[in-house]
Amino acid sequence: MPLDEDKYPVESDRRRFVKGVVGGAALAGVTTASAAAVNSATAPTGAGGGATTFYAVENTDGPAPRGMPQIPIEIDDEGYLKGAWPEYEEGDDAAVTENYGGSDVTYSSAWFQYCGVQTYSGVYPDADQDNYFRYSSSGYDWHSDVGGDRIHVDDFAELGEDWREWNTSFGTRSNGKPASGTWRSQDLSPQETMPIQVIRSENVLELAEEDPWIEASTAQGCIAWLNKCTHFCCVPGFKTLEGSAKFGAADQIYCQCHQSVYDPFSIVRKSFVALPRPEQED
Ligand code: FES
């Protein structure tokens, strides 16, 4: 499969789910053009980069070269949402879980190594970070008072409108309730904060019935992704801007920087060249 083949995709195929594996070859020093342009912090050598296959919310329009990587979700015994982190073994270039949740998909920490995120402390495979999703203080009115708190699955029903009803004044469908948050970024600077979005939606429940990866990587109708646009690394939003309607994105994830559009309910397998992580100082 050619790398970054989803630039300007011909059509959205909501049922295009195929099994994937992560390429293990290390190609330190290889960069994608767009990420290289914005990532002056990348060291010329490093670890854990290379050809990587991942699962993404599909890029359906605009200049972004591919979708944004999905984060598999776990819900703990108390109902709090976590982004699963793959297993790390001493000496490995990346944290990797093969056959994630019985889905036959190999999940790797390399999925998130682009747009400078490969330099963030939380993306190092052995980083001692907790995996809970925490609310951002900005993003959506319904969680603006609980910024920094862990995201609980019941919040989607109990804070503001119920997740089956939540909608905006623009757009044509009530297709889920979104939250903006952070992941693996506790006690780190804003420059090292990994932005995420979560949606709880009946669409996700339906998709999970059809596909083993969606079933394994979502929980109780919640789906999540690293919210860094693959074009030039802005932070997009699902139904955050009324102006997105002018670009056919009123019900999609929309990046206002250059009008890239992503569909959170179309999960596709894609490939890219993960950027190597700089060597860490002892
Ligand atoms: S479309 Fe350019 S950064 Fe998102």
Side-chain angles (χ1 to χ4, degrees), residues 151-229:
I151 299 178
H152 194 284
V153 67
D154 291 343
D155 293 347
F156 290 87
E158 296 173 0
L159 295 182
E161 287 176 288
D162 186 85
W163 58 284
R164 298 171 194 84
E165 309 293 331
W166 186 92
N167 211 340
T168 53
S169 58
F170 56 93
T172 57
R173 57 182 177 172
S174 174
N175 52 0
K177 183 173 178 178
S180 290
T182 63
W183 182 47
R184 291 179 66 80
S185 305
Q186 274 295 90
D187 303 322
L188 296 176
S189 68
Q191 290 76 23
E192 285 200 282
T193 296
M194 296 167 71
I196 60 103
Q197 284 207 308
V198 182
I199 298 176
R200 190 173 190 192
S201 170
E202 290 182 322
N203 291 8
V204 175
L205 293 173
E206 289 172 16
L207 292 169
E209 289 177 5
E210 300 170 8
D211 180 81
W213 165 248
I214 306 293
E215 181 183 16
S217 62
T218 64
Q220 297 188 39
C222 297
I223 192 167
W225 62 91
L226 181 68
N227 200 34
K228 274 267 190 187
C229 183

Side-chain angles (χ1 to χ4, degrees), residues 61-64 228-236 254-262:
D61 205 353
K228 274 267 190 187
C229 183
T230 60
H231 181 223
F232 281 131
C233 314
C234 288
V235 176
Y254 172 71
C255 184
Q256 64 179 319
C257 290
H258 312 96
Q259 290 73 55
S260 284
V261 180
Y262 303 86

Side-chain angles (χ1 to χ4, degrees), residues 96 108 157 198 214 244:
V96 174
S108 168
V198 182
I214 306 293
S244 62

Side-chain angles (χ1 to χ4, degrees), residues 27-43:
L27 298 174
V30 178
T31 60
T32 57
S34 60
V38 297
N39 178 36
S40 59
T42 304

